Amino acid sequence: MWWFQQGLSFLPSALVIWTAAAFIFSYITAITLHHVDPALPYISDTGTVAPEKCLFGAMLNFAAVLCVATIYVRYKQVHALNPERNCIIRLNKAGLVLGLLSCLGLSLVANFQKTTFFVVHVCGAVLTFGMGSLYMFVQTILSYQMQPKIHGKQVFWIRLLVVIWCGVSAFSMLTCSSLLYSGSFGTDIVQKLHWNPKDKGYVLHMITTAAEWSMSFSFFGFFLTYIRDFQKISLRVETNLHGLTLYDTSPCPINNERTRLLTRDL
């Protein structure tokens, strides 16, 4: 049996591979058509102009679905492993909400380009990166709470390092983008897709875009740490019928059916 056939480990793997493919394909398309500069454009800039924006939006929407599934499975796993610890239960629920908000933000970023709906696009980016960072932080705390009883200490340390990486990238991106969009470098920056090294704010632009890509890679790294955990879980859906027909009759007891949900046998 291959590693991705064990449990639900294919979920985080598929999430990372699919999202990375969305970035790569839209980047290659945008560069080929000369819609953006090859040197570190904003991720969303590679999905701003047709036809790459169609590919970018469609693939990121599916990535958001994969992300929802991954976050839900993680929530169920932590809940099953710690059914009586109130602190972990509360953190786990908070992580679920933060993760779902991040997925919503990802869908907004995919469907509302910054050159068309700048406010909505920024709100989506804040949800994606902001709530996503908080989700990673909460999951790292949960990993600390569960080690060494549930898993080894190395899992916690790896996730902590990734969270620190994410935090440094987020701070750099937030600081430089605030300065860049303060108005000191012109009012057309939002619509600008091509940059020249002689342009005002070029250095801040490059730092911001590098931090954005770095932060995205930190997200990839964090979800990859789920692979080993997801090898230990599978989900089932239980079908409960309230009668032998679909007419309005009084319910009668019948045999119920349990079917595997999201396993390798699907």
Side-chain angles (χ1 to χ4, degrees):
M1 182 183 298
W2 295 92
W3 61 268
F4 57 85
Q5 294 177 297
Q6 300 178 31
L8 298 176
S9 59
F10 69 89
L11 261 182
S13 307
L15 171 61
V16 172
I17 293 172
W18 184 268
T19 309
F23 292 168
I24 292 171
F25 291 156
S26 60
Y27 173 82
I28 292 175
T29 305
I31 293 300
T32 303
L33 298 176
H34 305 288
H35 290 162
V36 295
D37 298 322
L40 288 178
Y42 285 111
I43 295 175
S44 54
D45 282 357
T46 64
T48 298
V49 182
E52 60 265 20
K53 73 174 183 180
C54 305
L55 180 66
F56 186 78
M59 293 189 72
L60 280 193
N61 281 328
F62 186 68
V65 175
L66 289 174
C67 193
V68 168
T70 302
I71 288 169
Y72 177 74
V73 170
R74 177 61 179 174
Y75 166 78
K76 296 296 289 185
Q77 184 181 45
V78 173
H79 179 74
L81 291 171
N82 304 273
E84 299 178 356
R85 298 182 62 181
N86 292 330
C87 177
I88 290 183
I89 291 174
R90 288 193 295 268
L91 283 173
N92 196 30
K93 290 180 179 179
L96 176 65
V97 173
L98 291 171
L100 294 179
L101 287 175
S102 180
C103 296
L104 174 62
L106 183 62
S107 182
L108 291 176
V109 168
N111 294 285
F112 296 90
Q113 289 75 36
K114 77 170 190 177
T115 55
T116 308
F117 300 98
F118 180 72
V119 175
V120 180
H121 184 85
V122 170
C123 289
V126 170
L127 285 175
T128 303
F129 289 118
M131 298 299 103
S133 300
L134 291 176
Y135 170 79
M136 291 164 57
F137 180 70
V138 169
Q139 289 298 324
T140 303
I141 296 177
L142 287 172
S143 296
Y144 176 77
Q145 294 285 341
M146 292 191 297
Q147 55 92 30
K149 182 179 179 181
I150 304 299
H151 56 64
K153 294 183 178 181
Q154 66 272 17
V155 176
F156 161 70
W157 286 111
I158 291 173
R159 287 174 182 163
L160 179 62
L161 290 174
V162 175
V163 167
I164 294 173
W165 171 15
C166 178
V168 172
S169 300
F171 177 79
S172 302
M173 182 175 69
L174 181 62
T175 302
C176 294
S177 61
S178 299
L179 294 173
L180 186 62
Y181 288 93
S182 63
S184 303
F185 302 98
T187 58
D188 62 337
I189 293 181
V190 174
Q191 306 292 332
K192 196 169 186 176
L193 298 178
H194 296 277
W195 287 79
N196 189 290
K198 297 180 180 179
D199 292 340
K200 291 183 177 180
Y202 179 79
V203 174
L204 288 174
H205 165 74
M206 294 301 292
I207 295 175
T208 303
T209 54
E212 183 186 46
W213 283 96
S214 176
M215 196 173 181
S216 300
F217 290 145
S218 71
F219 276 54
F220 293 164
F222 192 87
F223 280 111
L224 287 176
T225 66
Y226 281 176
I227 292 177
R228 192 166 179 269
D229 293 351
F230 277 34
Q231 289 176 340
K232 312 296 182 182
I233 185 175
S234 60
L235 295 183
R236 296 176 183 272
V237 58
E238 182 175 340
T239 303
N240 294 314
L241 294 178
H242 293 222
L244 295 176
T245 69
L246 300 181
Y247 293 105
D248 294 331
T249 58
S250 57
C252 59
I254 61 173
N255 293 328
N256 294 321
E257 176 187 351
R258 291 186 176 183
T259 306
R260 291 183 178 180
L261 175 65
L262 292 177
T263 66
R264 66 178 186 277
D265 298 330
L266 180 63

